Amino acid sequence: MPLEATMMIIDNSEYMRNGDYIPSRFEAQSDAVKTIFQTKIDSNPENTVGVMTMASKGPEVLVTHSKDIGQIIKALHVTSSKIGGSIDIPTAINIAQLALKHRENKNLRQRIIVFVGSPLQGQGADEREMVKLAKRLKKNNVAVDFIAFGDGVEEETNVLKAFVDNTTNSDNSHLVSVPPGTHLLSDVIISSSILSEDRGIPPEAMGDVGGASGSGGANFEFGVDPSLDPELALALRMSMEEEQARQAAEEQTRQSATDATPQAESAGADKDEEAMLAQALAMSERNDVDMGEEQDEDMDEEEAIARAIQMSMKQEEKEQGGQ
């Protein structure tokens, strides 16, 4: 079990009021903080954990090197009334490193765990500055884990990933991304590579995490090993399947609406074509009737001429007989 002094930096910015995590981002983060604390202390009684914030009026250390869960709960309660402002990751990490430097037991390895649920701002969004800070932490043997959730998920593939890539040493730093869903933030974290050593799980059992990616559980679906937490893996899978079914239903509805329009136009065109054919047939029949009448008229005229010729011939015969 690792022997560590850990500082947790929590996000208490205005974004923590959002309710896309149950029951809210801040409450979900608070549960995760308590879970990490308890796991670290249960892992080794010599371990210590501290808590600090990085938003509101500025980064503030609330608890340093404690083994008392009561102090952590009190700090979280105080922070719940100080939600606001924006996060300042570089300043908070520098303060956390200074707090770890003054730990009583120098045999404890140093670790910083940062919760990011807000968009990166200022120097925290500057990849060059963040990489420079990461290299300094690596030089001082400080491991850094990032837990991205909420708006922080969008930052996973750029600045935060670059930070982890440059601070990791023998795969001691990780980046875990937890999108919104029916799962609990604390459940995903406890099943991730961040707490794998504290739970006595060898790194190879967590999949090929890799120092470059630092994205805990990369070879497992949703970043969770089903053999370690089957209920969470099942819940995540069901959530994904429900979302896929919903999207498929929307796509089918949209496709049906698209197909209905050409069919209606085709039906209208067919009706128009049938009407034109019927009209042409009617006109043809009328033409046949007219031609029949003209033929009858021609025949009556020919009969009258023939009759007149016949009567004329009979009259001539009578005149010749009288002479």
Side-chain angles (χ1 to χ4, degrees):
M1 299 295 181
L3 189 63
E4 290 184 336
T6 304
M7 279 296 295
M8 285 188 284
I9 304 175
I10 62 176
D11 188 338
N12 62 324
S13 67
E14 194 68 32
Y15 288 87
M16 293 301 100
R17 300 184 189 277
N18 292 357
D20 48 352
Y21 291 78
I22 302 172
S24 69
R25 287 187 185 180
F26 183 79
E27 292 298 329
Q29 179 183 228
S30 297
D31 289 340
V33 167
K34 288 181 281 189
T35 298
I36 294 174
F37 176 89
Q38 200 62 56
T39 303
K40 291 287 185 182
I41 299 301
D42 292 344
S43 170
N44 195 314
E46 295 297 321
N47 287 349
T48 61
V49 180
V51 176
M52 64 174 293
T53 60
M54 61 173 169
S56 189
K57 296 180 180 180
E60 178 183 2
V61 177
L62 303 175
V63 179
T64 57
H65 314 303
S66 176
K67 301 178 184 179
D68 183 4
I69 185 64
Q71 293 184 354
I72 303 298
I73 295 174
K74 181 180 179 180
L76 293 172
H77 178 71
V78 171
T79 305
S80 64
S81 61
K82 296 182 179 180
I83 297 177
S86 57
I87 60 176
D88 185 353
I89 293 179
T91 303
I93 290 179
N94 283 323
I95 294 174
Q97 181 189 4
L98 186 62
L100 290 173
K101 186 177 180 180
H102 290 86
R103 64 195 184 282
E104 294 181 3
N105 186 353
K106 300 299 181 181
N107 293 325
L108 297 177
R109 292 184 297 179
Q110 305 171 81
R111 179 175 297 277
I112 299 173
I113 300 178
V114 187
F115 287 84
V116 182
S118 312
L120 302 183
Q121 298 181 8
Q123 289 189 345
D126 188 339
E127 184 173 335
R128 181 184 301 177
E129 292 297 325
M130 290 288 280
V131 167
K132 189 184 301 182
L133 175 59
K135 290 179 178 179
R136 187 167 70 249
L137 291 170
K138 181 178 181 179
K139 184 178 180 180
N140 292 322
N141 298 317
V142 180
V144 181
D145 296 322
F146 279 102
I147 300 172
F149 67 107
D151 291 82
V153 174
E154 300 177 1
E155 314 293 341
E156 176 191 354
T157 57
N158 39 60
V159 179
L160 298 185
K161 185 177 183 300
F163 190 100
V164 171
D165 290 347
N166 285 275
T167 196
T168 189
N169 185 8
S170 300
D171 191 26
N172 67 343
S173 299
H174 311 90
L175 168 60
V176 174
S177 177
V178 187
T182 56
H183 49 273
L184 296 177
L185 181 62
S186 57
D187 287 344
V188 177
I189 293 172
I190 201 171
S191 301
S192 70
S193 55
I194 291 179
L195 297 178
S196 60
E197 289 189 60
D198 297 281
R199 297 174 63 205
I201 302 171
E204 54 270 17
M206 299 304 296
D208 184 15
V209 177
S213 64
S215 56
N219 275 8
F220 295 118
E221 190 174 20
F222 314 111
V224 177
D225 184 357
S227 64
L228 299 178
D229 199 336
E231 293 182 358
L232 175 60
L234 178 61
L236 292 173
R237 178 179 293 278
M238 291 177 63
S239 177
M240 182 192 71
E241 290 176 351
E242 289 175 359
E243 179 64 18
Q244 290 177 343
R246 183 187 66 80
Q247 293 178 357
E250 290 181 355
E251 180 64 25
Q252 186 175 3
T253 302
R254 188 161 50 248
Q255 188 65 31
S256 299
T258 304
D259 293 342
T261 303
Q263 289 178 359
E265 294 178 353
S266 177
D270 292 342
K271 289 182 179 180
D272 292 342
E273 185 175 356
E274 290 176 0
M276 292 176 65
L277 289 173
Q279 185 178 2
L281 181 60
M283 292 176 64
S284 176
E285 290 176 351
R286 282 200 299 273
N287 290 340
D288 290 343
V289 172
D290 294 341
M291 290 176 64
E293 291 177 353
E294 291 177 358
Q295 290 176 357
D296 291 342
E297 292 177 357
D298 292 342
M299 290 179 64
D300 292 342
E301 186 176 354
E302 290 177 358
E303 289 178 357
I305 294 174
R307 193 178 302 113
I309 294 173
Q310 187 178 4
M311 290 177 62
S312 175
M313 291 176 64
K314 287 181 179 180
Q315 186 174 0
E316 290 180 356
E317 290 176 353
K318 287 181 181 180
E319 290 179 353
Q320 289 177 0
Q323 293 178 354

